[in-house]
């Protein structure tokens, strides 16, 4: 995987901004993902492919965390923006407050790589969310890796 350094979305997220988002999502992001996003916020990638569910996927870019979403040209790639668009298709729990499956990267053709907190709130796995197979409160996901570090190694 090649990270296109000139595509890092700035400003990089501060500790305070990340904590505010974690509180809103009612979860704690894994340290490996935090380290990555603090340096590679919203970055585009090349040559980032992985196999899952008998398919090959092409990762296009990681999502970002922004403070001023409306005023930023890359605001459409903000995790909160994406989550607000597909959130009801990421859970089967209509009463859920926060998140349990959080999109972190976009994949060619509309799917998203997500951190999956459903089994372990402290150590999320990484899954692919299928936009074509998922319905409102009927998410379809496929496990990709046991954690974010392992996921990066697959790319």
């Amino acid at each position: 995987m090649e990270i296109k350094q000139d595509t890092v979305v700035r400003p990089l997220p501060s500790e305070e901004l990340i904590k505010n988002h974690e509180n809103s999502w009612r979860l704690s992001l894994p340290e490996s993902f935090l380290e990555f996003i603090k340096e590679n916020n919203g970055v585009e990638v090349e040559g980032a492919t992985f196999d899952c569910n008998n398919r090959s996927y092409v990762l296009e870019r990681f999502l970002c965390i922004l403070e001023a979403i409306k005023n930023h040209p890359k605001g459409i790639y903000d995790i909160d923006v994406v989550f607000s668009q597909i959130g009801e298709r990421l859970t089967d729990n209509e009463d859920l407050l926060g998140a349990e499956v959080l999109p972190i990267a976009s994949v060619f053709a509309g799917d998203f790589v997500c951190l999956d907190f459903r089994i372990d709130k402290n150590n999320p796995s990484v899954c692919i969310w299928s936009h074509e197979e998922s319905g409102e409160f009927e998410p379809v996901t496929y496990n990709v890796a046991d954690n974010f570090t392992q996921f990066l190694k697959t790319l």
Side-chain angles (χ1 to χ4, degrees):
M1 169 180 79
E2 178 188 338
I3 292 175
K4 296 181 178 180
Q5 288 298 329
D6 61 330
T7 66
V8 173
V9 177
R10 301 196 185 277
L12 295 175
S14 66
E15 290 286 337
E16 181 182 356
L17 181 61
I18 290 169
K19 285 292 176 208
N20 288 340
H21 279 71
E22 287 178 318
N23 289 338
S24 171
W25 299 325
R26 297 181 182 212
L27 51 81
S28 294
L29 296 170
E31 193 60 39
S32 57
F33 179 72
L34 290 172
E35 289 173 14
F36 182 85
I37 201 165
K38 287 177 186 177
E39 294 180 15
N40 300 295
N41 195 37
V43 73
E44 292 177 28
V45 293
E46 281 187 15
T49 61
F50 61 95
D51 295 325
C52 175
N53 193 39
N54 298 317
R55 286 187 54 197
S56 288
Y57 292 89
V58 177
L59 191 136
E60 296 179 321
R61 77 176 316 126
F62 284 89
L63 301 179
C64 56
I65 296 177
L66 294 170
E67 188 154 9
I69 297 168
K70 291 180 184 177
N71 299 325
H72 201 287
K74 301 289 185 188
I76 62 170
Y77 301 114
D78 180 80
I79 292 173
D80 263 351
V81 170
V82 172
F83 184 75
S84 70
Q85 293 170 346
I86 63 173
E88 291 177 344
R89 297 176 69 205
L90 291 172
T91 184
D92 59 3
N93 180 353
E94 293 183 42
D95 299 321
L96 179 70
L97 297 175
E100 58 186 9
V101 177
L102 188 71
I104 59 166
S106 63
V107 177
F108 179 76
D111 295 337
F112 286 92
V113 173
C114 301
L115 293 175
D116 188 345
F117 292 85
R118 291 177 291 187
I119 294 173
D120 190 338
K121 289 273 187 203
N122 297 314
N123 298 302
S125 59
V126 176
C127 67
I128 185 85
W129 171 79
S130 174
H131 82 285
E132 289 180 352
E133 296 175 83
S134 296
E136 189 172 310
F137 301 111
E138 295 178 357
V140 175
T141 61
Y142 300 99
N143 191 57
V144 177
D146 290 338
N147 56 54
F148 185 71
T149 301
Q150 186 182 53
F151 173 67
L152 290 178
K153 290 178 183 176
T154 68
L155 300 177

